[in-house]
Amino acid sequence: MKNPKRYTITAALPYTNGPIHIGHLAGVYVPADIYTRYLKLKGEDVVFVCGSDEHGVPITIKAKKEGVSPQDVVDKYNAIIKRSFQDFGIQFDNYSRTSAKVHHDTATEFFQNMYDNDKFIEETTEQLYDEKADQFLADRFVTGTCPKCGNEEAYGDQCEKCGSSLNATDLINPKSAITGDVPTLKATKHWFLPLDRYDDFLKDWIIKGHKKDWKSNVYGQCKSWIDEGLRARAVTRDLDWGIPVPVEGGEGKVLYVWFDAPIGYISSTKEWAEREGKDWEPYWKDEDTKLVHFIGKDNIVFHCIIFPVMLKAEGSYILPDNVPANEFLNLEGRKLSTSRNWAVWLHEYLEDFSGQEDVLRYVLTANAPETKDNDFTWKDFQTRNNSELVAIYGNFINRVVVLTNKYYEGMVPEASAFTETDLNVLSEIKTFPQSISDSIEKYRFREAQGVMMNLARLGNKYLADEEPWKLQKTDPERTATIMYVALQVAGALAVISEPFVPFTAEKLKNMLNFEAFSHPLLWGDISKLDELIPAGHQINLAEFLFSKIEDDEIQNQIDKLEATKVSNSEEESKLEPQKEEATFEDFSKLDLRVGTIISAEKKAKTKKLMVLKVDTGLDERTIVSGIAEHYKPEELVGQKVSVVVNLKPIKLKGTLSEGMILMTQDASGKLTFINPDSDKAVPNGIVIN
């Protein structure tokens, strides 16, 4: 959208069953904050909203485990999350909660409007039910094998490996994530959003309309979902924690969390507007408003397909202009995991590195997983701080401010004749805002930050080349001109670095005494004004913007992660508890045979799948197994295996799999075969009793 009148910026609502970690920051909150600060520096009309997502099954489960109420759980983590965001400088215009009355009222009204206009379908269906937990299972609380790619850790709504849309009942070997039991089916009535009715709308709006401006990872996942065929999706569920379904027959049911959570952006905007004395509706209903959702890749479908369908169906809302979702950030080569404590938690970072908020912001942006998964390491964190922030940005500013105070008692000197080098520097300063804007407007924040640092490099190199400290006694006029030019670079840096390192920019503005200006310097001023800091302006004393991070500080963080590794390893080495008793009849249904792998080939375009040809004694058959990350094909030929031969065949990534190889997992996570004694000539096809 060109020249919007206003912007509505949303950041994914963090789920209040745990604190914020660096993956959340890199994927969502830092880029959203950069974008918002940039727009406000340009003088745009912007509202930036977020809030805590406080409904859903995970909250109730955590409450049961801790022996408290769901409200106690969300109150605890809402406080931690909100405080962490504030301390880290994520500058929301409003941070709300989905447990707030304004949200309950907004979500209820949204549902009611759609219900009254026949936008839902009502169906009685069989849903997965955990008998032991005595509750229906949310899609995310059913895990099993993806029928499309064989991923054994797929969720009931989506396979995060291949991106396929699923129903919980589609999973092979489903089990409850609550108790580990195999769920049963139980009839229940619910309301569904018929996504398939919006197929033409989505093809026109996304496939045709956003092919060129949406990120390839976002567009690709959306296209995959649409091409696969959309299905109706339940908007209500059986639960007592959430927003009650406000229509007849809705007793004991609540709005599904995926339905009510994105409406939280609207209710948060309402809350802000009421506080500020504004009208909220133009920010959500005016076609001249640019709506941008910042999310992680696990939320692409909800924000690009499902929420837009909700907005379209309701009829009075605008659609998002862009959804610049990032990929995932890993930690020291491993996938971040909250359950395994493999994370750098924001509130802990703020304690361990007090006053160094911008270092983390800078490093996360430099390593932003914008187009592919990326990795955070503590060594890289240290290197970027010491070699870039301290040695380039900090060094330049310290020299400028110290020398100005030393030579001129803090008074900006008059410039005399400019050299060609001086003029080139002054001219180049004016190019930076547009260059950074070009990158930010394309949601390339890593690239934009690199351009910002190039301005610091420009200033640093200029001082190093001109060496005013060698000229002060012999050529004071030349020295004054050099310092004047360097101060113009510093002034520009104070403005254009604010979106990326806001705490540092504020310190720099204080050092340069921006408060004495008759009007604040804005983004556009850097390109328009010939003089940013005038001669005769009094600046303040220098203070260090960044400090060197020592090896022992980094080692402390590495040791903390190593302790987590040890703890996880010890936990994994514990044997799983015995499952519920199975009857002889249950077991006798399985036909287990000895077999031999006679050929093996990695399945193309997959990470885990291996296509095996197995001699079962009965026949030679194809079995697709998720072992490619653990074995090479040549290691498998001749391997004796135990095979379930009467498992119903199923297609995995286009290949029909006619059985299952029995495997187990050791403490390190490596898959190993449950195989007959290879030293004895056990013939293929013999029954395993």
Side-chain angles (χ1 to χ4, degrees), residues 431-501:
T431 68
F432 278 87
Q434 187 59 52
S435 182
I436 294 173
S437 291
D438 289 344
S439 296
I440 288 181
E441 296 289 356
K442 295 173 184 173
Y443 309 102
R444 297 174 181 169
F445 303 106
R446 184 173 59 206
E447 182 178 87
Q449 181 175 266
V451 176
M452 179 274 290
M453 277 300 290
N454 285 341
L455 179 58
R457 289 186 175 92
L458 175 69
N460 210 31
K461 184 177 187 303
Y462 175 73
L463 276 185
D465 290 348
E466 299 302 315
E467 298 180 311
W469 46 88
K470 291 185 178 180
L471 302 173
Q472 171 61 8
K473 291 182 180 180
T474 59
D475 194 348
E477 283 192 4
R478 178 62 192 149
T479 302
T481 301
I482 294 169
M483 295 310 302
Y484 172 88
V485 172
L487 282 160
Q488 304 311 304
V489 177
L493 194 57
V495 176
I496 69 167
S497 65
E498 182 179 333
F500 309 99
V501 284

Side-chain angles (χ1 to χ4, degrees), residues 279-349:
D279 181 5
W280 71 272
E281 290 202 2
Y283 292 87
W284 279 95
K285 298 187 176 185
D286 191 315
E287 291 296 334
D288 289 326
T289 297
K290 184 172 182 176
L291 172 62
V292 182
H293 297 310
F294 283 87
I295 58 167
K297 73 175 178 181
D298 53 338
N299 264 321
I300 288 174
V301 170
F302 296 102
H303 286 74
C304 296
I305 293 179
I306 297 173
F307 188 40
V309 166
M310 290 165 55
L311 296 172
K312 179 74 172 176
E314 199 280 343
S316 65
Y317 288 86
I318 59 173
L319 299 174
D321 182 80
N322 214 311
V323 187
N326 276 349
E327 298 292 292
F328 289 148
L329 184 73
N330 296 322
L331 173 60
E332 300 286 354
R334 295 187 176 195
K335 185 177 179 179
L336 280 158
S337 172
T338 55
S339 62
R340 295 163 61 84
N341 196 32
W342 190 255
V344 176
W345 304 103
L346 177 56
H347 66 291
E348 292 183 358
Y349 173 88

Side-chain angles (χ1 to χ4, degrees), residues 201-272:
F201 154 68
L202 291 169
K203 285 179 178 176
D204 185 63
W205 178 59
I206 297 177
I207 305 303
K208 293 181 182 178
H210 287 295
K211 185 174 184 178
K212 294 182 179 179
D213 63 327
W214 281 14
K215 294 171 70 171
S216 60
N217 60 319
V218 176
Y219 181 84
Q221 191 175 135
C222 291
K223 188 176 185 302
S224 175
W225 269 61
I226 294 168
D227 290 347
E228 197 174 281
L230 299 170
R231 292 176 287 182
R233 194 178 186 95
V235 301
T236 61
R237 61 162 310 157
D238 299 279
L239 196 65
D240 57 2
W241 176 249
I243 299 174
V245 175
V247 298
E248 185 178 347
E251 299 80 9
K253 303 178 191 296
V254 298
L255 301 184
Y256 225 124
V257 68
W258 66 257
F259 182 87
D260 97 72
I263 298 171
Y265 302 137
I266 301 170
S267 58
S268 186
T269 307
K270 285 184 176 181
E271 204 170 62
W272 163 80

Side-chain angles (χ1 to χ4, degrees), residues 29 289 426 543 642:
Y29 304 108
T289 297
L426 292 171
E543 61 176 298
S642 301

